[in-house]
Amino acid sequence: MLSAILSFMDAVTLARQLVDIESISGNEAAVGNYLYGELCRLGYQTMKMPVEGDRFNVYATSPEHPHPAVVFSTHMDTVPPFIPSSEDARRIFGRGSCDAKGIIAAQVAAAERLRQTGIHVGLLFVVGEERDSLGAQVANEYAASGQNSRCRFLLNGEPTENQLALASKGTLRVEVTATGLMAHSAYPELGESAIDKLIPALTRLRAMPLPSDPGVGACTMNIGLIEGGRAPNVIPDYAHADLLYRLVGPSDDLRRQIVSTAGDAVQVTFPLELPFLRLRTVDGLPTMIAAFTTDIPKLTNWGEPLLLGPGSIHVAHTDGEYIEKQQLAAAIDLYCRIAKQLLS
């Protein structure tokens, strides 16, 4: 069967079609159905891998090679809000254009180009990467059952400006909670302010020295959410903050330091950790350090991981998200080149 997606212009069209389907995390069914239909039309053996409710991953292989040694993967979901596609001579704009629907288009185009030369790779597109990596977890369970027993390499796509990542920083989510006693604000001595407990704890955490790795950079911390209180005239009985640390190594010492620094007036919990990873590279390609976290830590059963994709993480999640058409075209070539080198 002759391929319907071989040219760069076809990849641009596919990227825009994907961007125009709203797929904010939790609402990926429509874009999954579209991808499933397109991949079936191209002659792939394509399956919907149930995840949760009507959400599913899409996994496609060549019928004559159902157990590929190399799998291209990225995610179908986006962060809010939905922004439809547009383009000019240089760029494709819209939510997901670089994170990661343009990458999907490049991976499909590369798989098609490779297939024409007798090289067969798999395509795995998952849900939930922007929220909790639930799709990746389900895909890992699928792989653990032996369904992809010959898969040796996973080429994951995120916006790295077409540079191979030497490492990917990990993620440590921290929740800091304070409790108190409500009272009328005219009589603060009758209450106990949870906010007055939380603020000093956060101040100490902001000043706390963080580890660094000479080749990777520094661990960083962001206070992403603060909430608490009832009303301006009520002494607050509750206050809470969500923090996110970007890890550059193991977290055991950091966890102990966070608990000690926050102090006894607050409660500290760690609801999520994705580990710091060092990644495989390929000779002759430029490299970078990914300060962000990917699905890779949840896809351990899919072979040795690599990380590369077109687009810049600096414009991902912004109102002006875009992908350079030149980078999209170059990514198709790079995915083909890397697959060939891994299989040689």
Side-chain angles (χ1 to χ4, degrees):
M1 174 181 177
L2 291 176
S3 170
I5 300 179
L6 279 176
S7 74
F8 160 63
M9 289 309 298
D10 290 328
V12 169
T13 300
L14 178 59
R16 287 201 59 179
Q17 288 170 335
L18 294 171
V19 170
D20 283 333
I21 303 172
E22 187 266 297
S23 61
I24 294 167
S25 302
N27 192 40
E28 302 98 335
V31 76
N33 279 318
Y34 178 80
L35 268 175
Y36 175 83
E38 286 297 294
L39 292 169
C40 287
R41 183 175 64 82
L42 290 169
Y44 285 90
Q45 181 174 293
T46 310
M47 68 168 290
K48 296 180 180 180
M49 190 184 297
V51 174
E52 178 187 64
D54 65 352
R55 305 167 70 199
F56 56 89
N57 300 328
V58 175
Y59 182 45
T61 58
S62 298
E64 59 271 35
H65 292 275
H67 302 289
V70 175
V71 170
F72 296 162
S73 179
T74 190
H75 58 96
M76 299 181 286
D77 64 314
T78 71
V79 298
F82 170 67
I83 304 171
S85 75
S86 60
E87 67 176 292
D88 60 21
R90 293 175 49 219
R91 295 171 174 171
I92 303 168
F93 299 88
R95 178 60 75 233
S97 52
C98 76
D99 189 18
K101 292 177 176 179
I103 294 171
I104 292 175
Q107 290 184 342
V108 172
E112 283 293 276
R113 189 178 296 176
L114 288 165
R115 189 160 64 146
Q116 299 305 305
T117 66
I119 298 174
H120 300 271
V121 300
L123 294 165
L124 174 66
F125 303 127
V126 302
V127 302
E129 189 272 346
E130 299 288 5
R131 181 178 295 172
D132 55 11
S133 292
L134 182 59
Q137 293 177 50
V138 170
N140 220 35
E141 293 165 6
Y142 171 85
S145 69
Q147 299 294 323
N148 69 333
S149 56
R150 298 178 194 171
C151 185
R152 295 165 48 212
F153 303 103
L154 178 79
L155 182 44
N156 191 246
E158 290 286 348
T160 68
E161 299 185 65
N162 284 339
Q163 301 175 75
L164 271 171
L166 291 169
S168 172
K169 287 188 178 182
T171 289
L172 181 66
R173 268 190 54 199
V174 182
E175 294 185 356
V176 183
T177 304
T179 57
L181 179 66
M182 281 193 291
H184 196 293
S185 64
Y187 303 92
E189 68 277 8
L190 299 179
E192 186 180 334
S193 171
I195 289 177
D196 285 351
K197 297 177 182 179
L198 181 66
I199 290 174
L202 295 180
T203 300
R204 290 191 296 271
L205 288 171
R206 289 185 66 210
M208 187 183 87
L210 296 175
S212 184
D213 181 285
V216 177
C219 173
T220 60
M221 184 268 275
N222 178 55
I223 302 174
L225 176 68
I226 298 178
E227 58 185 2
R230 307 287 180 172
N233 59 347
V234 178
I235 301 299
D237 64 328
Y238 175 83
H240 176 93
D242 286 349
L243 286 59
L244 192 114
Y245 289 79
R246 298 290 182 176
L247 302 174
V248 296
S251 69
D252 292 348
D253 289 343
L254 179 63
R255 284 172 178 250
R256 286 191 286 269
Q257 190 179 6
I258 290 169
V259 171
S260 174
T261 300
D264 296 335
V266 296
Q267 296 80 49
V268 177
T269 57
F270 302 94
L272 175 69
E273 177 175 351
L274 297 173
F276 165 77
L277 293 175
R278 296 191 185 275
L279 300 166
R280 182 190 176 102
T281 58
V282 171
D283 291 343
L285 293 181
T287 58
M288 54 87 73
I289 301 296
F292 50 88
T293 306
T294 73
D295 271 333
I296 287 176
K298 299 292 186 180
L299 292 168
T300 54
N301 295 323
W302 287 81
E304 192 172 0
L306 301 90
L307 179 65
L308 177 141
S312 169
I313 197 67
H314 299 299
V315 299
H317 299 192
T318 69
D319 291 343
E321 183 175 349
Y322 66 85
I323 189 169
E324 298 279 355
K325 292 180 179 178
Q326 185 176 9
Q327 279 200 19
L328 181 63
I332 300 170
D333 295 335
L334 282 169
Y335 284 136
C336 292
R337 172 183 170 181
I338 292 168
K340 290 175 181 177
Q341 285 187 241
L342 291 173
L343 294 171
S344 63

